[in-house]
């Protein structure tokens, strides 16, 4: 069993839709939860970062962490064509020197 | 602002050849990492370094060696390339913010595409 599981998609939505991306994990010791966005032929870049459980909102993006269910989500409101990318969830332990990535979900927002 | 720079960006090798990928960062970060990214497999950690002169194995270290002689550079070597090492390689760095803390932010380079024939 992989440490982090993520549905690879692909996911295709019309512009303006609400997008929900999810990851599950098996290691209850994970403390830090991140979402990275990766455009085609580019390196990933950090989108959202959450410590422990709870919600975090940044503009159109909301990250949720449910440690009891070992489940994290990223919501994108009013999706735009510029949101078309691969979204990777990532997690780390308290030591912070190793990151565990999901396989990524490919998202296309259709104008 | 250069950030993390990887060279070369593209390379084609024949089986058995050797090569070195160079990663340079200008953010004075303590931690540096080498990942490979393959379809359906996501990002997998090859080796990492928590400081100058130190290296450690990640999830998929076999067939690779690394060195961190200078804080700003992290080299990934393939001694005898195999077709299974065809992949996109990403270098990343992150800041050390103290024990039991984590900024959560990895800064990635743009990737090096390696094909082994």
């Amino acid at each position: 069993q992989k440490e982090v599981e993520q549905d690879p998609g692909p996911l295709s939505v019309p512009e303006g839709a609400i997008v929900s991306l999810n990851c599950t994990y098996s290691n209850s010791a994970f403390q830090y939860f991140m979402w990275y966005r990766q455009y085609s032929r580019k390196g990933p870049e950090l989108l959202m970062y959450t410590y422990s459980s709870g919600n975090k909102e940044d503009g159109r993006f909301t990250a949720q962490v449910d440690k009891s269910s070992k489940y994290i989500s990223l919501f994108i409101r009013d999706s735009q064509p510029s949101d078309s990318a691969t979204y990777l969830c990532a997690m780390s332990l308290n030591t912070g020197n190793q990151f565990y990535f999901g396989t990524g979900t490919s998202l296309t927002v259709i104008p | 602002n250069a950030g993390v720079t990887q060279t070369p960006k593209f390379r084609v090798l024949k089986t058995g050849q050797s090569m070195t990928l160079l990663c340079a960062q200008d953010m004075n970060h303590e931690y540096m990492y080498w990942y490979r990214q393959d379809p359906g497999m996501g990002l997998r950690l090859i080796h990492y370094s928590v400081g100058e002169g130190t290296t450690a194995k990640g999830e998929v270290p076999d067939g690779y060696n690394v060195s961190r002689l200078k804080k700003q550079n992290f080299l990934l070597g393939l001694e005898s390339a195999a077709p299974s090492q065809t992949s996109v390689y990403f270098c990343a760095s992150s800041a050390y913010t103290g024990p039991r803390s984590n900024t959560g932010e990895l800064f990635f380079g743009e990737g090096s595409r390696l094909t082994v024939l």
Side-chain angles (χ1 to χ4, degrees):
Chain A
Q1 183 187 6
K2 286 177 66 77
E3 298 251 31
V4 181
E5 299 280 356
Q6 183 176 9
D7 186 340
L11 189 60
S12 183
V13 301
E15 183 175 352
I18 296 174
V19 176
S20 173
L21 305 169
N22 310 295
C23 287
T24 59
Y25 62 94
S26 57
N27 190 343
S28 58
F30 286 139
Q31 294 284 345
Y32 300 89
F33 304 90
M34 294 139 277
W35 287 95
Y36 282 80
R37 179 175 60 195
Q38 184 177 20
Y39 291 115
S40 180
R41 296 187 173 267
K42 297 290 186 182
E45 55 182 355
L46 184 67
L47 188 61
M48 298 284 286
Y49 158 68
T50 308
Y51 173 71
S52 195
S53 284
N55 294 356
K56 187 172 185 178
E57 188 173 322
D58 183 2
R60 297 184 294 109
F61 299 90
T62 299
Q64 288 185 351
V65 176
D66 182 348
K67 291 191 73 178
S68 62
S69 301
K70 299 192 184 71
Y71 188 88
I72 70 170
S73 301
L74 177 70
F75 296 96
I76 307 174
R77 292 184 300 280
D78 187 26
S79 55
Q80 302 295 309
S82 58
D83 295 329
S84 298
T86 296
Y87 291 80
L88 302 110
C89 62
M91 306 172 190
S92 68
L93 303 171
N94 214 23
T95 54
N97 58 5
Q98 286 200 54
F99 296 77
Y100 299 82
F101 284 85
T103 53
T105 299
S106 175
L107 171 68
T108 301
V109 181
I110 302 168
Chain B
N1 293 335
V4 178
T5 303
Q6 293 181 228
T7 54
K9 289 184 169 48
F10 303 93
R11 185 74 187 270
V12 177
L13 288 177
K14 293 181 179 178
T15 297
Q17 287 184 319
S18 63
M19 74 159 296
T20 301
L21 297 175
L22 171 64
C23 176
Q25 53 96 2
D26 61 4
M27 296 170 283
N28 201 35
H29 283 168
E30 290 292 334
Y31 295 164
M32 295 189 74
Y33 311 80
W34 275 108
Y35 288 90
R36 60 179 290 174
Q37 187 174 40
D38 303 289
M41 303 294 288
L43 283 164
R44 292 183 292 169
L45 183 64
I46 305 171
H47 286 280
Y48 66 100
S49 168
V50 299
E52 181 179 317
T54 72
T55 62
K57 293 180 180 180
E59 180 185 357
V60 288
D62 293 342
Y64 305 95
N65 56 75
V66 288
S67 64
R68 183 104 181 263
L69 298 179
K70 293 183 179 180
K71 185 177 183 179
Q72 63 269 31
N73 295 339
F74 195 29
L75 278 64
L76 178 71
L78 285 72
E79 290 184 346
S80 179
S84 61
Q85 294 178 304
T86 294
S87 187
V88 181
Y89 291 85
F90 286 99
C91 177
S93 70
S94 67
Y96 175 70
T97 56
R100 296 183 299 281
S101 69
N102 181 2
T103 64
E105 184 162 20
L106 285 169
F107 292 83
F108 284 87
E110 298 226 324
S112 297
R113 294 180 176 274
L114 175 65
T115 300
V116 182
L117 302 175

